[in-house]
Amino acid sequence: MRKLFFLSLLMMQLIIGNAQNEVRFGLQTGATMFTFKADVSISNAIASTVPPINEFSALANFQAGFWFEKRLNSLLSIRWEVERSPGGAKAYDILEEREKRYKFFYLSSPIIVKLTAFQKKIRHPIQLEAGVAANLFLFDYGEDITFGTVNKWHYHTIVGLTRNLDNKWAISIRYLRDLTPFSTFEAGGVRVNWTNNRYVLSFSRALFTIQKKKKSP
């Protein structure tokens, strides 16, 4: 938690302290669809200990948080977010003949670069997004399943598109892919790295603008 706090404080100082005069602050929420991916490697030909790996399907939830955004020039801006970020999946258990749900919750801190290209004459252009995020594991709940050791920190990449609907509201769609596993299981020559893949549809609203006063000559 301490690492995330200092990272958040540093990014806020960098964004607000940049050479431009204006920083926007707002809130956001939206729907997420996410699922697990299991990367299995076997180093022992007679390995017999394998965790329960089912055919996972997507599970819906929602995320919510706040953001700061700084426009660096007419084509480029940078955005820092802090949000409650879920992860998980659902799977049908053949033995128990029922569907199971698995959920993990994180405090997430994405840093996103937004690029506006070839749309100078459009008042609210579509922006390309790319970034990375640090995720702090908070807790999990749901079904009992052997995921192994849950990593306190893990990281993912972000790509997406966003469009301002007006001067306050915006809509975005993103794809998030884990760079590092959120959990690792290892026993009997078998290693399983669990990762999350997510699609996010979110709405954000600018609440106010932080503006520096220009010095008098």
Side-chain angles (χ1 to χ4, degrees), residues 92-107:
Y92 185 79
D93 191 308
I94 299 176
L95 296 177
E96 297 186 21
E97 296 184 341
R98 67 184 182 90
E99 188 175 71
K100 293 184 175 181
R101 293 170 179 260
Y102 314 97
K103 293 184 179 181
F104 290 74
F105 286 92
Y106 301 89
L107 184 63

Side-chain angles (χ1 to χ4, degrees), residues 28-76:
Q28 68 181 35
T29 188
T32 66
M33 293 292 291
F34 42 84
T35 189
F36 293 149
K37 179 182 177 183
D39 181 16
V40 183
S41 60
I42 300 176
S43 59
N44 186 344
I46 60 173
S48 59
T49 305
V50 180
I53 301 174
N54 296 317
E55 190 68 30
F56 292 106
S57 57
L59 180 64
N61 209 307
F62 74 95
Q63 56 89 12
F66 63 88
W67 53 267
F68 289 89
E69 185 169 315
K70 179 72 173 179
R71 178 156 294 280
L72 304 178
N73 53 50
S74 61
L75 297 180
L76 191 65

Side-chain angles (χ1 to χ4, degrees), residues 22-28 66-69 79 164-171 203-210:
E22 194 174 278
V23 177
R24 295 198 308 159
F25 169 80
L27 302 176
Q28 68 181 35
F66 63 88
W67 53 267
F68 289 89
E69 185 169 315
R79 181 179 175 109
N164 290 336
L165 303 177
D166 54 31
N167 291 331
K168 291 185 177 181
W169 288 95
I171 183 173
F203 294 88
S204 63
R205 187 181 191 279
L207 296 181
F208 60 84
T209 298
I210 302 172

Side-chain angles (χ1 to χ4, degrees), residues 12 17 55 60-61 63 118 123 137 139 145 149 157 181 184-185:
M12 186 169 63
E55 190 68 30
N61 209 307
Q63 56 89 12
F118 313 113
R123 183 178 180 184
F137 173 73
F139 62 90
I145 187 170
T149 303
T157 58
T184 301
F185 177 93

Side-chain angles (χ1 to χ4, degrees), residues 40-216:
V40 183
S41 60
I42 300 176
S43 59
N44 186 344
I46 60 173
S48 59
T49 305
V50 180
I53 301 174
N54 296 317
E55 190 68 30
F56 292 106
S57 57
L59 180 64
N61 209 307
F62 74 95
Q63 56 89 12
F66 63 88
W67 53 267
F68 289 89
E69 185 169 315
K70 179 72 173 179
R71 178 156 294 280
L72 304 178
N73 53 50
S74 61
L75 297 180
L76 191 65
S77 59
I78 186 169
R79 181 179 175 109
W80 169 61
E81 301 174 356
V82 175
E83 59 195 23
R84 164 203 179 273
S85 179
K90 60 183 179 181
Y92 185 79
D93 191 308
I94 299 176
L95 296 177
E96 297 186 21
E97 296 184 341
R98 67 184 182 90
E99 188 175 71
K100 293 184 175 181
R101 293 170 179 260
Y102 314 97
K103 293 184 179 181
F104 290 74
F105 286 92
Y106 301 89
L107 184 63
S108 182
S109 181
I111 304 296
I112 299 168
V113 175
K114 302 174 70 175
L115 176 66
T116 304
F118 313 113
Q119 302 171 79
K120 293 182 179 180
K121 295 182 179 181
I122 301 176
R123 183 178 180 184
H124 299 299
I126 296 174
Q127 296 174 300
L128 306 178
E129 295 183 329
V132 294
N135 302 281
L136 174 64
F137 173 73
L138 298 177
F139 62 90
D140 68 283
Y141 73 90
E143 304 292 342
D144 184 20
I145 187 170
T146 306
F147 285 108
T149 303
V150 176
N151 298 319
K152 185 176 181 181
W153 289 92
H154 82 281
Y155 306 89
H156 65 249
T157 58
I158 303 167
V159 292
L161 300 172
T162 187
R163 173 74 184 271
N164 290 336
L165 303 177
D166 54 31
N167 291 331
K168 291 185 177 181
W169 288 95
I171 183 173
S172 67
I173 183 168
R174 295 174 179 170
Y175 172 64
L176 286 63
R177 182 183 180 90
D178 278 0
L179 287 170
T180 58
F182 70 82
S183 183
T184 301
F185 177 93
E186 190 167 12
V190 175
R191 182 184 178 91
V192 183
N193 287 324
W194 300 92
T195 56
N196 255 311
N197 292 330
R198 278 162 280 179
Y199 292 92
V200 180
L201 176 66
S202 64
F203 294 88
S204 63
R205 187 181 191 279
L207 296 181
F208 60 84
T209 298
I210 302 172
Q211 183 145 15
K212 294 180 182 178
K213 293 182 179 180
K214 293 183 179 180
K215 294 181 179 180
S216 303

